[in-house]
Amino acid sequence: MTQVAAPDSLLAEGLARIAEEIDGAFDALLAVPDDARARLVEAMRYAAIGGGKRLRPLLLASVAEMYGVQREAAIRAGIAIESIHVYSLIHDDLPCMDDDAVRHGKPTLHLAFDEATAVLAGDSLHAFAFEVLSDPATSADPFTRIELVRTLGHASGAQGMAGGQMMDLVAETSEFDLQTVTRLQQLKTGALLGAAVEMGAILGRIPPEGRTHLRGYARDIGLAFQIADDLIDHEGDAAVAGKAVGKDAAAGKETFVSLLGPDRAREQARMLVEQAVGHLAQHGREADLLRAVARYIIERDH
Amino acid sequence: MTQVAAPDSLLAEGLARIAEEIDGAFDALLAVPDDARARLVEAMRYAAIGGGKRLRPLLLASVAEMYGVQREAAIRAGIAIESIHVYSLIHDDLPCMDDDAVRHGKPTLHLAFDEATAVLAGDSLHAFAFEVLSDPATSADPFTRIELVRTLGHASGAQGMAGGQMMDLVAETSEFDLQTVTRLQQLKTGALLGAAVEMGAILGRIPPEGRTHLRGYARDIGLAFQIADDLIDHEGDAAVAGKAVGKDAAAGKETFVSLLGPDRAREQARMLVEQAVGHLAQHGREADLLRAVARYIIERDH
């Protein structure tokens, strides 16, 4: 069975620590140039610094720590995956996509700057992710670096996150069943959460056959995360969420909540989290932070 | 001095061959999935297949061939750099950017599909570039692959192409001098053309110190290319160019042509091409295609 639950303080410390480290690394790596590109880097910084739960870097760094990886390498890989996440939010918020006005409690990038700058800042963060990963500072071993690139490239493209976003667009005009909604979410959110866990294991030089339980963990928390997101959208408070809520129903999209009802959806998320924790049974206290993250995923309100 | 000029047939064959190979590789690699992501991959194919001069893959493959690289590796790396080029055109054509209706003689992607799909298809081609490069099919050597990723990531991000695009946006409301326009173009177009040449040398396992002359060649043809583009925009025929012309003057942007006048601009481009060819003096007939490409750059009408 599962180990002793991690105390809340472990999670609180983990969240505070990763937030500070990721903000610090973005600040150091995204220096504003003294020419007409200044506005572009300012826009990248506006979107990348000081917002978000940093869940993907936290997952990545927690797995990496379990395997004794140097913290600096984990933070650099965390910057890369967070850059992909942030660019996807910037593009997702555009008027031609979700047309959102608020993100992380402040105006979305295309409102704070302009649409063209938002497109370019997203594209630049996208390239930045691969620049950071391919730099020897992330790992002296080229094989480790190229595996990180390969994992993140696959998870973010048409066969991963972007493919899920496309299904999400189609969902507005189609009647998706539970199986299709599950597939959509496994791509849209699950692929990148899975990549976070996978990248931590790659830094730890764990061979693919040693990552099976971590993949199971990532798959389960990925779905639980999305169900929790659907519940926040269904019943949440926009001020607490830091973004608009009630959007799925307004757009006529099927979600886990619309298909299962809120009670069964909540029960399903709880079950998935327990299953995720179960995948970590071979680990001792060193996996406590991963266990705490799994539980946090359905307890958060934003 | 320069070698014997390459015959026109060498260039014509080179252009036809690379066009067929790149189209074939995109066709094989971008298989349409049997689910709601089909529309995304259809959009990627619409933008990627059957259009463009394939100048970047041609440069990359020409350098690679000079160093005896297997053709398949060069084509895969060519697919990656062309994917970056195509994604940048898709995003550049969006209503919030240049708002263009025609590209390669057909409706731009956001008109043929829709804006949201165009944003996602661009993002997906962006990720696809790094997926292709990081795959062992491109090179069995992880160091070669990670150097390709690093070069392309740097050339396409805020310190390369995207940075140049940002300067281009700023140019609409600023008075840029010749030095700033040169810097803008070195980033916007030159960075990716330079990466094409560099990636060919990386595949050929030429160490950085052995690439100096190739970098000189790339820098010169990059500027010549942009001057030629400015001349096409200034005096070209939209039907021949396959895109709108006269846009820079309408947008009030300074270009090489507005700053130098068409005659001096044409003379400058000619000089740059001769200088580019001069950088290849250490090579024999094996560099004839690169010499022909340099001359083609200022003779083309689209």
Side-chain angles (χ1 to χ4, degrees):
Chain A
M1 265 314 293
T2 63
Q3 321 285 315
V4 180
D8 282 354
S9 66
L10 186 66
L11 176 70
E13 276 165 27
L15 282 166
R17 183 180 177 204
I18 198 79
E20 193 184 329
E21 288 170 317
I22 291 293
D23 274 352
F26 270 130
D27 183 43
L29 292 168
L30 295 174
V32 180
D34 186 25
D35 63 26
R37 291 169 302 147
R39 185 176 165 82
L40 177 62
V41 184
E42 300 275 15
M44 293 165 77
R45 294 173 61 92
Y46 178 89
I49 299 176
K53 298 173 292 290
R54 311 305 193 186
L55 186 59
R56 290 151 196 82
L58 177 63
L59 279 168
L60 194 160
S62 302
V63 172
E65 195 158 297
M66 222 164 65
Y67 294 119
V69 173
Q70 280 210 333
R71 190 74 180 178
E72 195 202 337
I75 296 304
R76 286 188 62 95
I79 283 287
I81 199 164
E82 191 70 4
S83 294
I84 295 288
H85 176 57
V86 170
Y87 111 67
S88 80
L89 296 179
I90 294 171
H91 285 183
D92 223 27
D93 287 340
L94 286 169
C96 69
M97 302 274 288
D98 279 0
D99 195 14
D100 273 311
V102 180
R103 172 69 66 182
H104 299 147
K106 61 185 188 180
T108 44
L109 188 60
H110 63 272
L111 293 178
F113 287 71
D114 58 83
E115 277 185 59
T117 302
V119 170
L120 284 177
D123 291 342
S124 299
L125 282 164
H126 194 167
F128 177 68
F130 295 105
E131 278 190 85
V132 169
L133 287 186
S134 57
D135 191 298
T138 300
S139 166
D141 173 32
F143 186 74
T144 297
R145 280 183 276 151
I146 201 69
E147 284 301 294
L148 292 172
V149 166
R150 202 173 171 201
T151 301
L152 190 55
H154 185 81
S156 61
Q159 295 174 75
M161 182 185 75
Q165 288 175 294
M166 187 71 214
M167 289 183 76
D168 206 27
L169 285 179
V170 175
E172 292 183 20
T173 52
S174 301
E175 293 272 308
F176 280 1
D177 58 13
L178 188 61
Q179 196 186 348
T180 311
V181 168
T182 303
R183 175 83 181 126
L184 184 168
Q185 300 300 354
Q186 276 171 337
L187 293 172
K188 191 184 164 204
T189 323
L192 215 54
L193 292 171
V197 169
E198 195 92 14
M199 289 165 78
I202 290 169
L203 282 174
R205 309 230 185 160
I206 307 303
E209 59 273 19
R211 302 176 203 157
T212 313
H213 66 297
L214 293 173
R215 288 180 182 162
Y217 166 87
R219 195 174 50 242
D220 292 337
I221 65 163
L223 273 184
F225 179 88
Q226 193 55 49
I227 297 175
D229 246 23
D230 288 353
L231 286 163
I232 291 168
D233 187 72
H234 179 71
E235 41 201 49
D237 179 325
V240 177
K243 60 184 178 185
V245 297
K247 293 192 316 181
D248 291 331
K253 274 188 221 172
E254 297 293 0
T255 68
F256 290 114
V257 175
S258 72
L259 289 165
L260 296 172
D263 292 342
R264 272 185 63 205
R266 197 173 289 108
E267 185 47 38
Q268 177 73 10
R270 260 192 223 109
M271 220 187 64
L272 283 163
V273 165
E274 286 317 305
Q275 198 170 293
V277 171
H279 284 297
L280 303 175
Q282 65 180 262
H283 294 289
R285 301 299 304 260
E286 76 276 12
D288 275 357
L289 187 51
L290 283 181
R291 295 185 185 100
V293 169
R295 301 216 162 86
Y296 165 67
I297 271 176
I298 52 167
E299 283 155 15
R300 71 202 162 89
D301 52 13
H302 66 287
Chain B
M1 266 312 296
T2 61
Q3 322 284 316
V4 180
D8 282 355
S9 66
L10 188 65
L11 177 70
E13 276 165 27
L15 282 166
R17 182 181 178 203
I18 198 77
E20 193 185 329
E21 289 170 317
I22 291 293
D23 273 352
F26 270 130
D27 183 44
L29 291 167
L30 294 174
V32 180
D34 186 24
D35 62 25
R37 290 170 302 147
R39 185 175 165 82
L40 177 63
V41 183
E42 301 275 15
M44 293 165 77
R45 294 173 61 93
Y46 177 90
I49 298 176
K53 299 174 290 292
R54 311 305 193 185
L55 185 59
R56 291 151 195 82
L58 177 63
L59 280 167
L60 193 159
S62 302
V63 173
E65 195 158 296
M66 222 164 66
Y67 295 118
V69 173
Q70 280 209 333
R71 190 73 180 178
E72 195 202 337
I75 295 304
R76 287 187 62 96
I79 283 287
I81 199 164
E82 192 69 5
S83 294
I84 295 289
H85 176 57
V86 171
Y87 111 68
S88 80
L89 297 179
I90 295 171
H91 285 183
D92 224 26
D93 288 339
L94 286 170
C96 70
M97 302 274 288
D98 279 0
D99 196 13
D100 273 311
V102 180
R103 172 69 66 184
H104 299 145
K106 60 185 188 180
T108 44
L109 189 60
H110 63 273
L111 293 177
F113 286 72
D114 59 84
E115 278 185 59
T117 301
V119 171
L120 284 177
D123 291 342
S124 299
L125 281 165
H126 195 167
F128 177 68
F130 295 104
E131 278 191 84
V132 169
L133 287 186
S134 58
D135 191 298
T138 300
S139 166
D141 173 32
F143 185 73
T144 297
R145 279 183 277 151
I146 200 69
E147 284 301 293
L148 293 172
V149 167
R150 203 173 170 200
T151 301
L152 191 55
H154 186 79
S156 62
Q159 294 175 73
M161 181 185 76
Q165 288 176 294
M166 187 71 213
M167 288 182 76
D168 206 28
L169 285 179
V170 174
E172 292 182 21
T173 52
S174 301
E175 293 273 308
F176 279 3
D177 59 12
L178 188 60
Q179 196 185 349
T180 311
V181 168
T182 303
R183 175 82 183 125
L184 185 167
Q185 299 301 352
Q186 277 172 336
L187 293 172
K188 191 182 164 204
T189 322
L192 215 54
L193 292 172
V197 168
E198 196 92 13
M199 289 165 78
I202 290 168
L203 282 174
R205 310 229 186 164
I206 307 304
E209 59 274 19
R211 302 177 203 156
T212 313
H213 66 299
L214 293 174
R215 287 179 181 162
Y217 166 87
R219 195 174 50 242
D220 291 336
I221 64 163
L223 273 183
F225 180 88
Q226 193 54 48
I227 296 174
D229 246 23
D230 288 353
L231 285 163
I232 291 169
D233 186 73
H234 178 71
E235 38 201 52
D237 179 325
V240 177
K243 60 184 178 184
V245 297
K247 294 190 320 179
D248 290 332
K253 274 189 221 172
E254 297 292 2
T255 69
F256 290 113
V257 175
S258 72
L259 288 165
L260 297 172
D263 293 342
R264 274 185 62 204
R266 197 173 288 109
E267 185 46 40
Q268 177 75 11
R270 259 192 224 110
M271 221 187 62
L272 283 163
V273 165
E274 285 319 302
Q275 198 171 295
V277 170
H279 284 299
L280 303 175
Q282 65 180 263
H283 294 287
R285 301 300 303 261
E286 75 277 13
D288 274 357
L289 188 51
L290 283 182
R291 295 183 186 102
V293 169
R295 300 216 164 86
Y296 166 66
I297 271 177
I298 54 166
E299 282 156 16
R300 71 200 163 91
D301 52 12
H302 67 286

